[in-house]
Amino acid sequence: MLEIRPSHQRGHADHGWLKSQHSFSFADYYDPARMGVGALRVINEDRVAPGGGFGTHGHRDMEIISYVLDGALAHRDSMGNGSVIRPGDVQRMSAGRGIMHSEFNHSSDAGVHFLQIWLLPNATGIAPSYEEKRFEAAEKRGRLRLIASPDGADGSVLIHQDARLYAGLFEGAETATLPLAPGRKLYVHLARGQLSINDVVLHAGDAAILSQESALTLSAGQGAEVLVFDLA
């Protein structure tokens, strides 16, 4: 079974310094039919204006992944971490029993375009932690590169949930296939470009849910950058 979620059906928010599109219910956007898929609770496509950012605020019991598409996002948190993440970097923050952090675009002329992803953890009250790794474009070209997993396999960042996150770049004749185990679901989010999944065409911002299928096949990419979540 394949369910398509077109980009235009997402929630929208415009705060001036921040323009955001919500794949699932978030903040002032609420749709009882769009509360998440499995442990996947949030995918916000955020565009942060030059000089804008999220001031210091707190989280608890959430796995938070930031995936930058364009620009540079500065991070600081209450554990003493400070860094700037750019396209190719994947940041994972386990909020656990509590963490404070901020994310800013310190550029005076360039915006930041990134995906903010939240997954519910498989345990509450754990010690907060932070991890950041880089995955070059060559690692994602024409294939699905594992970037987050519950065991840190293949150099991926570690998340506290039975979920795996893959990223891929596809153009032209490049293809990839990902098997789907019985009882699991795949959530596909096309970050940009155009891509066929099981012969159905997606455009930037579109998403698809696969269940009761044997595999996901990606093909016919046009400047495509895609994230695929394997969920219980």
Side-chain angles (χ1 to χ4, degrees), residues 198-225:
N198 293 13
D199 297 323
V200 176
V201 176
L202 298 186
H203 300 88
D206 290 348
I209 304 172
L210 280 79
S211 60
Q212 300 175 359
E213 301 267 346
S214 60
L216 165 70
T217 299
L218 307 176
S219 62
Q222 298 179 24
E225 184 160 8

Side-chain angles (χ1 to χ4, degrees), residues 117-129:
I117 299 160
W118 296 9
L119 296 104
L120 297 168
N122 55 17
T124 59
I126 64 174
S129 61

Side-chain angles (χ1 to χ4, degrees), residues 57-80:
H57 60 285
H59 295 282
R60 293 179 62 89
D61 294 325
M62 194 66 71
E63 302 291 292
I64 300 172
I65 297 172
S66 296
Y67 186 96
V68 178
L69 296 164
D70 294 295
L73 187 67
H75 167 88
R76 291 194 177 278
D77 64 45
S78 54
M79 293 180 289

Side-chain angles (χ1 to χ4, degrees), residues 43 52 57 84 91 93 99 132 172 218 221:
I43 301 179
H57 60 285
V84 178
Q91 175 196 89
M93 187 173 65
I99 190 171
E132 179 185 319
L218 307 176

Side-chain angles (χ1 to χ4, degrees), residues 1-141:
M1 185 169 61
L2 176 62
E3 177 189 352
I4 303 299
R5 293 185 172 180
S7 173
H8 70 266
Q9 292 184 0
R10 293 183 291 175
H12 300 270
D14 187 344
H15 302 284
W17 64 272
L18 171 68
K19 293 179 173 58
S20 186
Q21 294 174 291
H22 309 313
S23 295
F24 306 112
S25 296
F26 186 87
D28 293 333
Y29 166 63
Y30 175 72
D31 180 345
R34 298 288 185 263
M35 297 302 295
V37 176
L40 178 60
R41 183 59 188 83
V42 169
I43 301 179
N44 290 345
E45 182 179 357
D46 290 341
R47 288 176 167 85
V48 182
F54 304 87
T56 301
H57 60 285
H59 295 282
R60 293 179 62 89
D61 294 325
M62 194 66 71
E63 302 291 292
I64 300 172
I65 297 172
S66 296
Y67 186 96
V68 178
L69 296 164
D70 294 295
L73 187 67
H75 167 88
R76 291 194 177 278
D77 64 45
S78 54
M79 293 180 289
N81 298 298
S83 65
V84 178
I85 58 172
R86 297 177 171 84
D89 296 332
V90 174
Q91 175 196 89
R92 184 272 299 166
M93 187 173 65
S94 296
R97 57 179 173 260
I99 190 171
M100 303 291 290
H101 77 118
S102 64
E103 312 287 334
F104 270 94
N105 175 13
H106 291 305
S107 173
S108 60
D109 56 5
V112 171
H113 182 196
F114 79 108
L115 298 177
Q116 179 185 167
I117 299 160
W118 296 9
L119 296 104
L120 297 168
N122 55 17
T124 59
I126 64 174
S129 61
Y130 178 89
E131 188 178 11
E132 179 185 319
K133 291 190 176 180
R134 183 164 185 81
F135 301 90
E136 300 293 346
E139 300 180 65
K140 297 177 281 188
R141 171 56 56 195

Side-chain angles (χ1 to χ4, degrees), residues 142-194:
R143 63 185 290 253
L144 288 174
R145 173 61 161 99
L146 183 66
I147 62 172
S149 69
D151 54 5
D154 298 330
S156 59
V157 299
L158 188 147
I159 53 175
H160 299 88
Q161 182 51 260
D162 180 13
R164 287 169 175 79
L165 172 56
Y166 300 83
L169 302 170
F170 293 89
E171 189 71 43
E174 295 171 338
T175 64
T177 299
L178 183 67
L180 176 56
R184 297 185 70 86
K185 293 181 179 180
L186 295 178
Y187 187 90
V188 181
H189 178 87
L190 187 59
R192 54 183 158 199
Q194 179 177 307

